[in-house]
């Protein structure tokens, strides 16, 4: 190759290198779409994507999940994706009253549909503020909402992380933050418990770098994550939270009382029945039931140590509970034992809904599935 040809080759190589280097730099200037203000995209495999909850509507069924996916069905078998969802955040739960639907999710998002899920509008969201205002510095700002319940067409309650509680009394036109009861503060001047704050290890005259037994103990959270809300036949409300915490209300949410379960782990869901009967389920397969809104609890054997993530009621105080590693538990009556129906291919199952007397709709990490009840 002579010198002119070599020069031309070097020039072409330099131009290619410059283009390759410049392309990523140009791409880096493109802003990533904000999921709070970006519409959900139509995805051909939406029915196989992560779905977290399902509900029965006047026209059929609705399921919600990752990237703002909303799926609709008239029979629980053939599903279509709603083409008009104005957010792309994870939707964690959905509530339905006839054709009126509300779905909640990350970034404090609440979206509403008045036509069975075909079209949606944003009713609430927490926007990011780069200036660092008091609202954006609050850990509850932008925290995920984890469950939603409507007691009638106008009164709704959404719960979430860091004891986030949003209430509407006008069908979602306005959502207002309200405060639950908190752990009582110790009396002023109260002496520390014996041994409190004493470090374990050799005294050196300097502050110890070793935590004491008391400092390592998991105390009661003042603002536990609120994982689920349920309503009983008597109209009472119960919220299940982390670290054995629960809250109950006998006056439609006007006031709340904090109670504790006989287990210090987190409860992820609850089912309300007639009277003041509530079934609570959660971490490591623990299931507890009360008939007096939490004054007394009875542990129900689940036969599993898998975390139980979702569930729904069956006729006659029956229940279906679902969770990790494809676990499905079912009972036909309130005093019956749970029968296991493991579905390994389903992965983590987040929610379940009875389609009829025999079929059960499942939603979870692998999308939509179905199983027959025993």
């Amino acid at each position: 190759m002579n010198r002119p040809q070599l020069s031309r080759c070097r020039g072409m190589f330099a131009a290619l290198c410059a283009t390759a280097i410049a392309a990523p730099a140009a791409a880096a200037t493109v802003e990533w779409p904000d999921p709070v203000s970006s519409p959900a995209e139509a995805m051909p495999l939406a029915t196989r994507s992560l779905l977290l909850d399902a509900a029965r509507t006047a026209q059929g069924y609705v399921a919600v999940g990752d990237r703002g996916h909303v799926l609709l069905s008239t029979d629980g078998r053939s599903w279509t994706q709603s083409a008009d969802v104005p957010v792309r955040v994870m939707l964690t739960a959905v509530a339905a009253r006839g054709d009126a639907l509300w779905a909640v999710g990350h970034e404090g998002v609440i979206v509403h549909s008045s036509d069975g899920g075909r079209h949606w509008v944003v009713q609430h969201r927490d926007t990011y503020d780069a200036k660092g205002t008091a609202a954006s510095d609050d850990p509850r700002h932008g925290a995920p909402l984890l469950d939603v319940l409507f007691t009638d067409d106008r009164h709704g309650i959404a719960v979430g992380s860091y004891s986030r509680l949003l209430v509407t009394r006008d069908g979602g036109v306005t959502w207002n933050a309200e405060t639950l009861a908190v752990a009582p503060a110790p009396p002023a001047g109260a002496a520390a418990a014996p041994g409190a704050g004493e470090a374990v290890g050799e005294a050196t005259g300097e502050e110890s770098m070793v935590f004491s037994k008391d400092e390592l103990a998991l105390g009661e959270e003042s603002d536990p994550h609120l994982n689920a809300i349920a309503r009983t036949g008597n109209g009472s409300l119960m919220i299940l939270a982390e670290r054995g915490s629960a809250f109950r209300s006998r006056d439609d949410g006007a006031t709340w009382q904090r109670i504790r379960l006989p287990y210090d782990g987190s409860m992820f869901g609850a089912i309300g029945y007639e009277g003041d009967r509530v079934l609570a389920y959660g971490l490591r397969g623990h299931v507890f039931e009360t008939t007096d809104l939490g004054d007394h609890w009875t542990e129900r054997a689940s036969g599993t140590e898998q975390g139980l993530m979702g569930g729904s009621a069956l006729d006659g105080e029956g229940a279906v509970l679902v969770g990790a590693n494809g676990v499905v538990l079912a009972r036909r009556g309130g005093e019956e034992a749970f029968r296991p129906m493991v579905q390994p291919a389903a992965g983590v199952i987040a929610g379940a809904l009875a389609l009829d007397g025999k079929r059960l709709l499942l939603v979870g990490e692998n999308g939509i599935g179905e199983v027959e009840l025993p």
Side-chain angles (χ1 to χ4, degrees):
M1 181 180 294
N2 58 35
R3 192 177 297 274
Q5 290 175 323
L6 180 62
S7 298
R8 283 195 298 271
C9 287
R10 287 176 176 171
M12 293 171 62
F13 180 72
L16 289 172
C17 289
T19 302
I21 294 172
T29 63
V30 177
E31 293 187 6
W32 188 260
D34 180 7
V36 178
S37 55
S38 301
E41 294 181 282
M43 305 293 286
L45 298 179
T47 57
R48 309 311 306 163
S49 66
L50 174 62
L51 298 170
L52 296 182
D53 197 18
R56 183 177 286 103
T57 72
Q59 303 178 38
Y61 304 91
V62 58
V64 300
D66 197 16
R67 301 181 184 179
H69 289 169
V70 174
L71 301 177
L72 306 173
S73 174
T74 58
D75 59 5
R77 285 181 169 161
S78 300
W79 295 83
T80 58
Q81 184 180 356
S82 176
D84 188 26
V85 181
V87 295
R88 203 176 295 180
V89 301
M90 175 87 72
L91 298 176
T92 57
V94 60
R97 290 190 65 83
D99 275 337
L101 310 178
W102 291 265
V104 301
H106 289 200
E107 306 298 337
V109 160
I110 304 175
V111 290
H112 169 62
S113 172
S114 60
D115 59 5
R118 292 189 297 275
H119 303 90
W120 296 78
V121 296
V122 176
Q123 288 190 332
H124 184 275
R125 62 185 173 191
D126 293 334
T127 56
Y128 173 71
D129 184 359
K131 295 180 180 179
T133 62
S136 61
D137 289 339
D138 187 333
R140 291 169 295 184
H141 186 83
L145 294 172
L146 303 175
D147 202 6
V148 59
L149 170 76
F150 269 75
T151 62
D152 56 42
D153 292 340
R154 299 182 64 80
H155 181 213
I157 302 173
V159 299
S161 300
Y162 303 103
S163 291
R164 192 76 188 275
L165 180 73
L166 297 176
V167 179
T168 180
R169 292 177 175 83
D170 54 16
V173 176
T174 57
W175 288 88
N176 299 307
E178 295 191 2
T179 303
L180 283 170
V182 297
E198 294 179 359
V200 178
E202 182 180 354
T204 62
E206 299 179 355
E207 185 177 356
S208 173
M209 298 298 291
V210 181
F211 289 110
S212 71
K213 184 184 297 185
D214 297 286
E215 290 170 326
L216 289 172
L218 292 176
E220 187 175 67
E221 287 281 0
S222 62
D223 60 346
H225 300 325
L226 308 179
N227 296 324
I229 182 170
R231 189 171 190 249
T232 69
N234 282 346
S236 300
L237 301 172
M238 181 170 286
I239 295 174
L240 279 298
E242 63 175 338
R243 293 195 189 177
S245 298
F247 300 84
R248 65 184 178 187
S249 174
R250 299 183 187 274
D251 54 13
D252 207 26
T255 60
W256 294 88
Q257 179 187 13
R258 185 168 185 165
I259 60 176
R260 290 200 64 81
L261 276 74
Y263 170 61
D264 287 336
S266 299
M267 293 288 104
F268 300 137
I271 302 171
Y273 295 96
E274 290 302 313
D276 273 336
R277 189 175 192 137
V278 177
L279 185 74
Y281 52 89
L283 196 65
R284 296 184 63 83
H286 282 283
V287 181
F288 294 91
E289 194 160 18
T290 177
T291 58
D292 51 19
L293 205 66
D295 286 336
H296 305 88
W297 292 92
T298 301
E299 184 165 12
R300 303 298 188 190
S302 69
T304 183
E305 291 189 353
Q306 301 295 333
L308 299 173
M309 311 298 182
S312 64
L314 299 177
D315 293 337
E317 295 183 343
V320 173
L321 306 179
V322 295
N325 289 331
V327 65
V328 180
L329 308 174
R331 75 178 189 190
R332 286 293 188 176
E335 303 304 322
E336 290 187 9
F338 282 98
R339 299 174 60 182
M341 301 182 297
V342 180
Q343 305 293 311
V348 178
I349 308 175
L353 188 66
L355 296 174
D356 51 38
K358 294 184 178 180
R359 291 189 300 145
L360 182 69
L361 172 69
L362 306 176
V363 294
E365 85 173 292
N366 293 328
I368 293 174
E370 186 180 315
V371 66
E372 284 197 8
L373 287 165

